[in-house]
Amino acid sequence: MKVLSVTSECAPLIKTGGLADVAGALPGALAPHGCTLRTLLPGYPKVMAAVEDGEVLTSLPDLFGGSGRIIAGHAAGLDLLVLDAPHLYARDGSPYLGPDGQDWPDNPERFAALCWAAMLLARDGLPDGWTPDVVHGHDWQAGLMPYFLQRHAPGTRSVLSVHNIAFQGLAPPWRLGSLRVAPADFHPGLAEYYGQVSALKTGLICADRLSTVSPTYARELLTPEFGMGLQGVLRDRRADLVGILNGIDLEMWNPANDPDITPYTAPSGKAQNRAALQAEFGLPDGEGPLCIVVSRLTEQKGLDVLLEALPALTSRGGRLALLGSGQRELEAVWRDAAVRDPNLSVHLGYDEALSHRMMAGADAILIPSRFEPCGLTQLYGLRYGTIPLVALTGGLADTVIDASDAGLKAGAATGVTVYPLTAEALTAGLERLCTLFSAPKVWTRMQSNAMRHPVGWDSSGAAYAALYRDLAGRS
Ligand code: ADP
């Protein structure tokens, strides 16, 4: 089974969020199931610099306002097809944002070009004889891929995965031509969305199959509360929509041999890391749990609600170390809060190694998201024996077992879930967390449960492989 994975980011080469982790993990997750994935990625400077043994396979003379090339090569163990198109991608920094922190104005065209290149690879195959059976795209950036396949390479099957429906890839209709979308397709049944061209909607309609990153999010997406306007489109396609949980890289995230921490295999081994973390963040001693947040700072993550509920933690001797970056206003809010509260310490920025040290040293990780398609940090938390306190939504609901009376009695509890996400409910959740923490036997049992919880790719890799096979069999 040959699969072309089409993505705008891919860890460890270029990452802004969980999508990159998943795109980077899929090839390894699918290999044991007889699927070979090659990853088509824009040739951002960081990607171009990382590619080893690059070989130009194809030239694309007419690629959205310039010329491009497909370069085959390897980086970080990934089999890459890089779309080298300097007029679109030779820009430093974030894959999406210019130096002013705003989206690049030509983002719709930049990623339409990626979709076009995927279509050409599927239609013509590669000079090395490789032709994909299935093309698997991720998020709005790959939204036009299923459309281009339908129009120009109808023999190839497509899957489109929704990692976060909040991002939809809208463009005004006068750009239809520059996006290579036929004017006749600009209608509510296809590319049109409230007067705009929607790359994501087009993909959701045209892809042979749809997936998202957890079973609960797959259900939530059908509702107005979570579907962000696309719930109707998704309801029409519910028979083709499947939720497959993300896994994490068990080698990169392994407390037994993580180079960034003092390694451990049991909850008791966290003590040294805990002391180091507390010192690194300059937090005082306390009776309560040492909690962390590792997150993008955006409205989605519900951290404004956490700030409101925080006294429930700090008044019980709990402390919070936050690592995050994102919206300037939210960064300022947290920076100011840390000045006022000695039990809160904030590190603004993006720091992978620090995130490992935090997972190892913390007692609990707080994830009060308003919505969370899958979420990865609760999975890291489980693996590191760091108890997740989560909002009961999306993948958080699918991966954390609440310390209810039943959960505790069954010996299955791994965390604390909060519903609905209000300051009152979160306050009660934090109080519950502190109570659990004050009973060392109960807490250690939860940590052990968490560390045993399967968070790898085994079953999800099998689920994607089954999806690809089913699709290819149909063609
Ligand atoms: P999202 O994709 O919505 O940002 P996820 O939980 O799915 O949320 O994935 C976030 C990923 O980014 C995780 O791997 C997390 O550890 C990482 N991350 C987020 N913020 C930071 C940060 N400031 N420093 C280091 N890693 C971060």
Side-chain angles (χ1 to χ4, degrees):
M1 175 68 52
K2 288 169 288 179
V3 179
L4 179 65
S5 174
V6 182
T7 180
S8 58
E9 49 183 286
C10 185
L13 305 174
I14 180 100
K15 167 169 166 175
T16 70
L19 163 61
D21 292 299
V22 178
L26 276 179
L30 270 299
H33 302 282
C35 302
T36 312
L37 265 76
R38 296 180 90 171
T39 305
L40 176 66
L41 194 61
Y44 313 114
K46 271 190 196 160
V47 174
M48 297 300 291
V51 172
E52 300 146 15
D53 63 9
E55 180 196 351
V56 178
L57 290 188
T58 320
S59 295
L60 310 173
D62 174 26
L63 189 74
F64 291 73
S67 64
R69 316 182 295 172
I70 299 285
I71 297 176
H74 294 85
L78 295 161
D79 188 352
L80 296 178
L81 297 168
V82 177
L83 180 56
D84 176 28
H87 65 294
L88 300 170
Y89 307 127
R91 306 173 194 179
D92 284 321
S94 154
Y96 316 121
L97 309 178
D100 56 358
Q102 302 295 313
D103 283 344
W104 290 109
D106 60 345
N107 275 350
E109 286 79 8
R110 294 173 75 217
F111 297 106
L114 185 72
C115 297
W116 188 260
M119 179 279 290
L120 293 175
L121 291 174
R123 191 191 68 185
D124 304 338
L126 288 170
D128 59 9
W130 195 86
T131 308
D133 302 301
V134 172
V135 185
H136 182 177
H138 301 277
D139 272 348
W140 78 263
Q141 292 88 345
L144 292 181
M145 174 276 290
Y147 170 77
F148 291 150
L149 284 184
Q150 256 192 12
R151 295 294 182 278
H152 307 285
T156 308
R157 298 292 172 215
S158 61
V159 180
L160 184 63
S161 290
V162 176
H163 296 261
N164 191 336
I165 205 155
F167 307 107
Q168 303 189 352
L170 300 177
W174 55 265
R175 281 160 71 172
L176 279 168
S178 68
L179 294 169
R180 301 194 182 174
V181 176
D185 293 329
F186 186 67
H187 59 79
L190 189 48
E192 191 264 0
Y193 180 77
Y194 293 101
Q196 304 261 85
V197 190
S198 166
L200 183 60
K201 178 182 169 184
T202 307
L204 294 177
I205 289 171
C206 294
D208 292 298
R209 290 295 181 84
L210 305 175
S211 77
T212 188
V213 290
S214 69
T216 296
Y217 195 55
R219 285 191 300 276
E220 289 174 342
L221 281 176
L222 308 180
T223 67
E225 193 187 348
F226 294 96
M228 305 223 173
L230 290 172
Q231 61 274 10
V233 173
L234 285 161
R235 258 188 256 135
D236 288 345
R237 300 227 45 203
R238 69 197 309 167
D240 296 314
L241 171 66
V242 60
I244 302 175
L245 269 180
N246 289 335
I248 60 170
D249 185 327
L250 297 182
E251 279 170 35
M252 203 182 294
W253 292 94
N254 183 1
N257 63 17
D258 185 331
D260 293 314
I261 66 168
T262 305
Y264 59 95
T265 53
S268 56
K270 286 172 73 75
Q272 240 179 301
N273 293 296
R274 187 178 194 268
L277 176 64
Q278 187 177 314
E280 182 167 4
F281 274 83
L283 285 163
D285 288 332
E287 296 286 287
L290 177 56
C291 298
I292 56 168
V293 167
V294 178
S295 184
R296 286 185 296 122
L297 299 180
T298 65
E299 158 97 9
Q300 176 195 339
K301 301 296 180 179
L303 297 171
D304 49 324
V305 187
L306 176 60
L307 202 50
E308 245 184 284
L310 201 56
L313 177 71
T314 50
S315 65
R316 285 166 181 77
R319 286 129 308 139
L320 177 63
L322 177 141
L323 168 63
S325 62
Q327 286 169 9
R328 305 268 149 82
E329 319 81 74
L330 291 175
E331 292 189 353
V333 165
W334 280 95
R335 197 187 296 115
D336 293 350
V339 172
R340 291 192 304 270
D341 186 346
N343 293 305
L344 168 65
S345 177
V346 168
H347 184 103
L348 295 176
Y350 190 95
D351 189 332
E352 198 93 23
L354 177 56
S355 77
H356 282 246
R357 295 197 294 277
M358 293 171 75
M359 291 294 164
D363 298 310
I365 176 162
L366 312 180
I367 314 172
S369 305
R370 291 194 159 83
F371 67 96
E372 195 58 77
C374 179
L376 293 174
T377 55
Q378 84 278 16
L379 303 180
Y380 305 148
L382 290 169
R383 179 121 167 107
Y384 281 64
T386 301
I387 297 302
L389 178 152
V390 303
L392 196 64
T393 185
L396 300 172
D398 291 330
T399 52
V400 176
I401 302 170
D402 185 60
S404 62
D405 289 345
L408 288 171
K409 209 178 269 171
T414 57
V416 171
T417 63
V418 169
Y419 183 87
L421 184 68
T422 58
E424 296 72 38
L426 191 51
T427 294
L430 288 167
E431 284 169 355
R432 206 146 63 82
L433 185 81
C434 292
T435 305
L436 290 162
F437 184 74
S438 65
K441 257 196 183 154
V442 177
W443 189 262
T444 309
R445 178 78 192 270
M446 284 175 67
Q447 287 180 306
S448 302
N449 292 343
M451 291 178 80
R452 274 198 308 270
H453 188 94
V455 290
W457 275 100
D458 283 355
S459 63
S460 298
Y464 277 113
L467 177 64
Y468 298 151
R469 290 229 160 76
D470 193 25
L471 250 185
R474 233 173 46 175
S475 62

